[in-house]
Amino acid sequence: MAWGGALASVRLIIQGKHMELTDAVKNYVEEKVGNAVHNHGNLVKEVDVRMSVRGGETGRGQKLQRCEVTLFTKKHGVVRAEEETDNMYASIDRVSDVISRKLRKIKEKDGGHGRTPRMRNQPRIGELLSDEVVDLAPILERKVDELPDEVVRTKYFEMRPMTSFQALEEMVNVGHDFYAFRNAESGEVNILYKRHHGGYGMIIPRSDESWELGQNGATKDKSSQ
């Protein structure tokens, strides 16, 4: 689908799962999400809307209808929001409000010397990051019955270099508890995550791991392997 007017250059994708994607629902998405994006059309290049239904007569528990919106912006990465209620139109309303607020914050950031009002009132990334050494063994060894025993989906995405602060902003935009990014300074892949006890932590690969060293402690020459 495609919008007109100020949003003519923004691509709109609407998908449905376990539900009938009627013209009424598609028109409602086009209107509500369009209103949320309208004043920020210059920031966005693509909008992906996915709606799904779970539970109720065909499943367990209460019937819930979810609307997920993913915005691909021109220079601010990905912005994501999702809402779930017992009514699809209500879910669309709520998620539209969320993306409108997120886009407004991005616009404020562009005119606020790189930091939104919310960010300016918070400690900077260097003050938030924990320097603790994270032992991943207990996490990797923990068994969860609900997890599948195989990889069922693989995603590929662009991982452009960015600073720790930019990664923090991206993580806030997508609404996740962690964010993997390529560090602009080191070129390595780092993982930024939200700590249960407050603040943020960052996982950085060590360069002195035993598997990188030879028997005499020297770095292995990969060209000789």
Side-chain angles (χ1 to χ4, degrees):
M1 297 181 68
W3 281 303
L7 298 178
S9 63
V10 181
R11 185 185 181 195
L12 173 62
I13 301 173
I14 301 177
Q15 303 178 65
K17 182 179 181 181
H18 300 148
M19 62 173 288
E20 181 182 1
L21 199 57
T22 64
D23 288 340
V25 172
K26 289 189 287 187
N27 290 336
Y28 196 76
V29 168
E30 187 174 3
E31 176 187 355
K32 297 297 292 187
V33 177
N35 288 337
V37 178
H38 185 270
N39 293 330
H40 314 284
N42 62 314
L43 300 175
V44 182
K45 59 183 179 181
E46 183 175 303
V47 178
D48 187 344
V49 181
R50 301 190 181 193
M51 294 170 285
S52 60
V53 177
R54 65 183 179 89
E57 297 178 357
T58 60
R60 298 179 180 179
Q62 179 185 3
K63 185 176 182 179
L64 294 173
Q65 307 195 39
R66 173 180 296 182
C67 181
E68 305 175 42
V69 176
T70 304
L71 307 179
F72 298 90
T73 69
K74 296 177 180 178
K75 60 177 183 178
H76 297 283
V78 177
V79 177
R80 185 175 179 275
E82 63 179 61
E83 291 291 331
E84 188 176 65
T85 70
D86 58 1
N87 180 280
M88 184 58 73
Y89 291 94
S91 297
I92 295 170
D93 286 341
R94 291 188 180 184
V95 80
S96 297
D97 290 340
V98 173
I99 63 173
S100 178
R101 290 196 299 271
K102 289 189 174 185
L103 286 173
R104 188 163 57 247
K105 289 178 180 179
I106 290 177
K107 191 172 183 179
E108 291 172 350
K109 183 196 72 172
D110 279 348
H113 305 291
R115 285 170 65 86
T116 64
R118 178 184 174 186
M119 288 294 185
R120 287 198 291 270
N121 293 328
Q122 292 181 343
R124 291 189 174 270
I125 186 71
E127 300 169 359
L128 291 172
L129 292 177
S130 169
D131 292 330
E132 64 184 343
V133 177
V134 179
D135 183 7
L136 296 179
I139 300 175
L140 298 177
E141 293 174 358
R142 185 172 55 190
K143 295 182 179 180
V144 181
D145 295 337
E146 290 77 11
L147 289 178
D149 56 1
E150 61 179 340
V151 176
V152 297
R153 186 177 184 183
T154 301
K155 287 187 177 182
Y156 296 90
F157 62 97
E158 179 183 3
M159 189 174 285
R160 59 186 177 85
M162 63 179 65
T163 65
S164 301
F165 180 73
Q166 289 172 326
L168 175 59
E169 289 189 317
E170 293 284 350
M171 187 173 76
V172 172
N173 285 339
V174 298
H176 290 173
D177 291 333
F178 69 94
Y179 189 81
F181 69 101
R182 189 176 300 281
N183 194 301
E185 296 181 0
S186 66
E188 297 174 333
V189 174
N190 296 166
I191 299 177
L192 184 67
Y193 65 95
K194 184 181 295 184
R195 304 178 71 241
H196 292 300
H197 301 295
Y200 297 88
M202 191 158 67
I203 298 177
I204 302 174
R206 296 178 58 173
S207 58
D208 58 348
E209 296 289 351
S210 58
W211 55 268
E212 292 185 323
L213 304 177
Q215 293 182 352
N216 61 354
T219 302
K220 288 185 178 180
D221 183 2
K222 296 182 180 179
S223 62
S224 63
Q225 295 180 355

